[in-house]
Structure formats: structure tokens, C-alpha cells
Amino acid sequence: MFLTEKDLVDLVAFRHDLHRHPEVSGEERETAARVEAHLAALKPDRIFTGLGGYGVAAVFAGAAPGPTLLFRCELDALPIPEISDAAHRSEISGKGHLCGHDGHMAIIAALGRGLARRRPARGRVVLMFQPAEETGAGAAAVIADPAFAGIRPDLSFSLHNLPGLPLGHVALASGPVNCASRGLRILLDGKTAHASMPETGLSPMRAVSRLMPQLTDLGRGIFPSADFAMVTLTHAVLGEPAFGIAPGRAEVWATLRTLTDAGMADLCALAEALISQTAAQERLVLSYHYEDIFHHCENAPEAVAHLRQALSDEGIGHDATVLPMRASEDFGRFAACGPSAMLFLGSGEAHPALHNPDYDFPDVLIERGARIFLRVIDNVLELS
Amino acid sequence: MFLTEKDLVDLVAFRHDLHRHPEVSGEERETAARVEAHLAALKPDRIFTGLGGYGVAAVFAGAAPGPTLLFRCELDALPIPEISDAAHRSEISGKGHLCGHDGHMAIIAALGRGLARRRPARGRVVLMFQPAEETGAGAAAVIADPAFAGIRPDLSFSLHNLPGLPLGHVALASGPVNCASRGLRILLDGKTAHASMPETGLSPMRAVSRLMPQLTDLGRGIFPSADFAMVTLTHAVLGEPAFGIAPGRAEVWATLRTLTDAGMADLCALAEALISQTAAQERLVLSYHYEDIFHHCENAPEAVAHLRQALSDEGIGHDATVLPMRASEDFGRFAACGPSAMLFLGSGEAHPALHNPDYDFPDVLIERGARIFLRVIDNVLELS
């Protein structure tokens, strides 16, 4: 292919540098600067910065007109302390690249190295380094950015490494691959009182006691049936840590999850009816809002066909056994631009799970991921 | 009586100085120093300091042998911000004398002024400035202090001001006057999981949902029936404030309240059986402990008789209509030393409630409280 041994050594060094300096969602200023410096050296036709926050995109154009292919990776790390003896372990306390976004960035940078040597014959390739994937905010912000009009893709691709899947093996399927999810944050207001006179106040305790299991019980269907819905109660707090006060306020956090966005609309309606009814029964003032909103990620058959062809051409084993999965991924937003697809690249069956403190991206996947995407580019736009 | 106009002006200034410098339970270092300086000027026969923390006691002895009478007040303020336009408002952010302990200290200091002029003919008077009443820790710590053996009382008295009762009117009764209470802090440990895979973890949510109302429902009896019991759920927290994690830990805080210590033993047994059963059903690891332990406050008829006689001698109206009350008071610990009694001195029907941010002790009660207790001393020990 188009990557030399020197490329791979450089790309591993690039990943390790990113890994040492993790930045969380929305704060990826230094990461974006490192990415921009790496891309600038490859002399793309254009670099966009500040997309939907700290997003960076490099454009490599062909001589003839043709479609725009976008390849997406993510800038952000996690607010989780890393446990590692590696020389490239996080130097930022309490933060770590524990989802492998550093590795995904190295793969998309590898495409840049290939494209720096061989431009596509037609169309354009956009290498998209997107911010704030972990909060579900970044892809939507990038797409809403006015500058995005200049790089709007015809086809979009992404990949995520996947512990539990054999190293280098690929999971790929058409249809929904990641669930829709969103956080529902509920506030219930009554009235505080002295703990010896609770009848003079109004505690949200009984509302919280009923709501938590009833919200959870809104879950239905067996995954991945079309009507699958799941509610996970993630957090609740009632009153203050004191023995002298009968509480007047409570907060309940739940994560709603469905196979599709249509299912999410139904689940939100059910949850909202339940919390409104409960608050009214208990005479509490209710307020609520949604956070961390992820659309479901739907792989378009046309985009999947390009990935399948590339995998066959490269002789890389693939199947659909682990798909769809319940976890969420904000790449689903790119489906609004045109056909898009995401594949999952095995990190090894015994590899620590994503978001675990001892997780680290396997460097051997950099070349493998880049090979697949470079083959897609060659197949669709013909590398010259 | 024995207090001059100058005494009363000085005592109001003393209270205002204490009010400006509130210190919370267990941290009453400066308050104790102010009290000690005020008492030292009165030349008592002995001053004890550092009793059970920052406790201070002054002893005024008679020439002849006789009983020891102890009068107790409290050093501590509350961790509640004061709202006041008064010149003597709290100068310490977030803390305030919002229970009137500054006023109670002025009353006991007033006894010192009287005793400085007229010693008892026999026995001894101990003026006890006790720390940490608000947490229920102070009285027990003072009594457990080895130095307490030197001032062990035969009779103990205390008073608390009481908003809602007409100004200067007294509530007094034999038997229980304040409830026993204690905080029960419950920890439930399961196992955290990714919010998309809650079945791989173990959430305490259903245990918390059942426990909160079931603990509350352990309440029984109509106050003040002998079998009265009340459980107030004051605080609960489940998991962390995040949408991505299914919780593995919860904490539940409840305040148990009974008319008597015997009733408290029963209520604790019921609560412990319930939490053990619930934790076992949900396969959670349970731990729990008690905090803020208050014994019930039982007025001994012999001590009450002395107070009643003094009230009649002073022509101060009194009845038992508001007693017993549900709130707790750690003076109950002094009953272990011998007959003890507490009276409640009206702060006015429209006065802001205790612990309210706009509460302030009515200065006119200083002379009234001191008059009652000086009359008790004169009646029992004969002021010379």
C-alpha cells in the first residue's frame, strides 16, 4: 500500500504524543493544534480549524469533479484517571485516552500520509477530526458549523476499535449499529422542614421511590428487536447530607436507550408522562431536561458496500455477529449528510474494555485501519 | 434580686460579642476563651476548662457542706448563614447563633454575677458551658471527662428559649420533654457497570426505592404516646452525577425519633432488621452506623419541683401545654448524674423559629432566666 515503515513509526509516535496529553470533550485546544501541525506537513489542499469547537479537517482534492468522501475520527479523551506503566501514559491527572480516540486520529492521519503522495483522480477526501464525541455534542456542532458547507460529504465513514473482538477482525453491518441514547435529568421541588416536623414540609422521597423503578420498568423488548428500549437509573440525590433537615428537593438522572431515533421519541413520551403524573400526584414542582443526546447510528447499505469491498480486497475477515450494539456513538449525525457507515475493528478478545483505566489502543491497528480506508478511497475515487 | 442595671447592660454586650463570633460544634475555642475571661472576672472558687472538648465550668462554693447544683448552657452555634441587620450580626460567614445559645450563656453568666456577690451558704453551684450540643456529642463528652468527677452534680438544670411560646412564659413538665433521636447512615454496595450494560453490574436502586418508604413507615403511634416512633428520610444519594455509569453504590440517611430511649432501642432493632433483609434480598453489601445520638430528655419530679417553686416565687406564668416536644436536646445525658430538669422560656409567639436564618435571641430573657435559676439556688442552698 502507501504507508512506509517510517510512516508507521511516525504515526505511533504521533499517537503516543496525543496519548500523553489527553483533553476532554470541548477542551481539545492542544490536541487540535497537534493535529493541525501534523496535517500541515502533509500539504493538503485546505485545512479547516475551529469546526464546531476545536474541530479540524484537511481536504485532499482530485483533479476531476467527483464525490466527497469524509473519514471521521475524534479528538476527545475521558475524565477518567489512567492506570498504566507505558512510557506514553497520560501526563494529565484524572484524564486519559481510554477510548482509543488517539489511535483513531493516527489512522486518519495515516490517510493523510497516503494522500500526500497519491491524490485521488476525482472528487475530494475530507479527513475530519471531530471534537466532543463522548458527550454527543461534537458531530452535531461540526455539521451545524457554517464552514461545514464547504466540505459537505457525499459519503461518510468512521471506525471504532472494539475490545472483545479478535485483534484486527472487523464487525460490519447495514442498519442500526449503535443505539440512540440520551440523559434525562429530573428535578423535583417540594419544601424543606425540620426533621422533627416533616409534616410541615413536602419531601420528594415517595416520588423518587416510585419513579426510579417505574422509569427503569419502561424498558421493553429484547435487544436488538425494533421496539427495544432501556432505561438505566444512573444517579439520584435527595436532600442534603444532614440529619436535621427533611428534604425539599430531589434530582433523578436516567439514561434512555433505544435501537432507533423513532423508538427514542416514543420512550421520551412515556418517560415524560410518568414523571409529570408522579410529580402531580405528590404535589411537587417538576422540571426536566435532556443532556448527552446521541442519535442512533445507522449504516447505509451503499456505504457499507464500499467498506465490504475494501475488506475483501484487503483480505480482512469480517462479520456482523456483535452488531448492533447498545452503546452510543455520535457518528450517527453524519447520516444527515448522505450515506454513511461505521465499522468496528477488533482490539483483541482479552483487551481491557473501553473506558477502563488500564485500556490502551493497540498500535498494530493503525496500519490496518488506514489500509481499509485507503482502499475505499482508491475504489471510489481512484488514487493516481 | 441580685442583678443591677449595669449587670444587664454588660450581659447584653457579652451576648452580642458571642453572637458576632459564632463557632460550630467542637470548634468553640474562641467562645470558650471569651466565657473564661468573663467568668474569671467574677472570681469563682475554681474554673475548669477543656471539659469534653472546649467545655468551661465555674464553681461557686458555700462554706458548709451541701449538694452540688449544676446549671448548663451551650457554647455552639450553627453552620447556617444568618440574615440580620443587627449591629451584632454574625461576622463569620455561613455560621450563626441561630438557636440562642449566646443568650443561654448570658443567663448562666448572670448567675455568676449574682454568686460573685452572694455565695451559697452551703453546697456548690457549677456553671457549665458545654460544647457541641447541636451534634449530640457535647454533654456525653463532658460527663465522660475525668475532670468531671470534681464537679459531679446532685441536681442539674437547663433552659432553652422557645419561639411560639409567649415571651417570658415558661413551659415545664415532669417526664420526657424532648425526644430521643439518632441518625442512621446506611451504605449499600453493589457493582458499577457501563450504563448500556447494567446487567453486568449490580445497582442498589431497587433496594433504595423500597427502603426509603419502608423505613419511613416504621413510624407509629400518635405523639406523645409512649410507643411514638418517627423515621424521617433526610438524605439519599445513588451513584455519581453522570449518564454513562450504572450505579454500584448508594447511601441513605434517616433520622430515628422516639419519646424514650427504650423506644429507640426497639426502633433501631426494627430498622436494622429491615435494612439487613433488603440488602440480602438485593445481594448488596450493607454497612451502617449511627451519628448525632441524642438520649431522650427526662425531667425528674424532684428537680421540676425546685423549678416550679422558683417560678411561683418569682410570679412567672407556666404550664405544660407544649410538652413533650419532638425536637431533641442533649441535656438528657445529665440525668445519669442525678435528678435533672429543663424548662422552656417563651421567645414570643411570632418570633422566628429556632435555626431560621432571621432568628435572634430576645435580650429581655436574660434577666428572666437568671431570676428563675438564682431563686432555685437561694431556695436550695440559701444565698448569704
Side-chain angles (χ1 to χ4, degrees), chain B residues 114-134:
Chain B
L115 292 165
R117 297 195 193 108
R118 297 181 59 189
R119 285 288 201 275
R122 57 183 167 275
R124 296 185 301 172
V125 175
V126 176
L127 305 182
M128 169 64 68
F129 295 74
Q130 175 211 300
E133 191 283 322
E134 297 289 353

Side-chain angles (χ1 to χ4, degrees), chain B residues 31-94:
Chain B
T31 305
R34 283 170 215 275
V35 164
E36 189 186 347
H38 194 94
L39 293 175
L42 304 176
K43 305 205 184 308
D45 297 292
R46 184 148 177 208
I47 291 184
F48 291 80
T49 59
L51 287 167
Y54 290 114
V56 178
V59 179
F60 292 85
T68 297
L69 272 54
L70 180 145
F71 296 87
R72 192 284 307 245
C73 63
E74 317 92 328
L75 294 171
D76 53 340
L78 287 156
I80 303 175
E82 180 177 21
I83 297 171
S84 171
D85 291 327
H88 61 273
R89 66 180 171 274
S90 170
E91 295 175 5
I92 312 294
S93 169

Side-chain angles (χ1 to χ4, degrees), chain B residues 271-306:
Chain B
E272 289 168 23
L274 176 61
I275 63 181
S276 299
Q277 184 187 38
T278 306
Q281 284 166 347
E282 298 284 331
R283 296 171 295 121
L284 299 164
V285 176
L286 167 70
S287 63
Y288 64 92
H289 63 272
Y290 294 102
E291 297 179 17
D292 290 17
I293 300 173
F294 289 83
H295 287 190
H296 88 270
C297 187
E298 171 102 17
N299 275 357
E302 177 185 349
V304 168
H306 290 302

Side-chain angles (χ1 to χ4, degrees), chain B residues 21-33:
Chain B
H21 305 96
E23 293 176 303
V24 298
S25 308
E27 300 177 0
E28 309 96 336
R29 180 193 297 268
E30 297 300 322
T31 305

Side-chain angles (χ1 to χ4, degrees), chain B residues 143-312:
Chain B
I143 292 167
D145 193 308
F148 188 74
I151 47 178
R152 203 163 183 87
D154 297 293
L155 284 161
S156 301
F157 301 95
S158 188
L159 64 75
H160 207 295
N161 79 96
L162 191 63
L165 201 63
L167 188 69
H169 188 77
V170 165
L172 178 63
S174 290
V177 289
N178 287 99
C179 279
S181 77
R182 54 173 63 192
L184 170 58
R185 194 163 162 187
I186 303 161
L187 282 93
L188 295 164
D189 270 300
K191 188 181 166 206
T192 58
H194 193 285
S196 72
M197 305 278 279
E199 72 277 16
T200 64
L202 180 58
S203 169
M205 181 275 285
R206 288 184 194 272
V208 170
S209 294
R210 288 210 306 275
L211 257 186
M212 295 200 300
Q214 287 178 357
L215 276 170
T216 306
D217 293 346
L218 293 180
R220 61 172 195 266
I222 305 297
F223 189 75
S225 69
D227 69 339
F228 167 78
M230 171 182 255
V231 180
T232 307
L233 234 295
T234 65
H235 180 58
V237 60
L238 175 74
E240 302 297 324
F243 290 110
I245 306 166
R249 177 165 251 231
E251 207 168 308
V252 175
W253 297 36
T255 301
L256 315 186
R257 196 175 304 274
T258 55
L259 188 63
T260 66
D261 296 337
M264 181 58 75
D266 290 348
L267 182 57
C268 289
L270 286 172
E272 289 168 23
L274 176 61
I275 63 181
S276 299
Q277 184 187 38
T278 306
Q281 284 166 347
E282 298 284 331
R283 296 171 295 121
L284 299 164
V285 176
L286 167 70
S287 63
Y288 64 92
H289 63 272
Y290 294 102
E291 297 179 17
D292 290 17
I293 300 173
F294 289 83
H295 287 190
H296 88 270
C297 187
E298 171 102 17
N299 275 357
E302 177 185 349
V304 168
H306 290 302
L307 290 173
R308 280 222 181 90
Q309 183 62 51
L311 290 165
S312 297

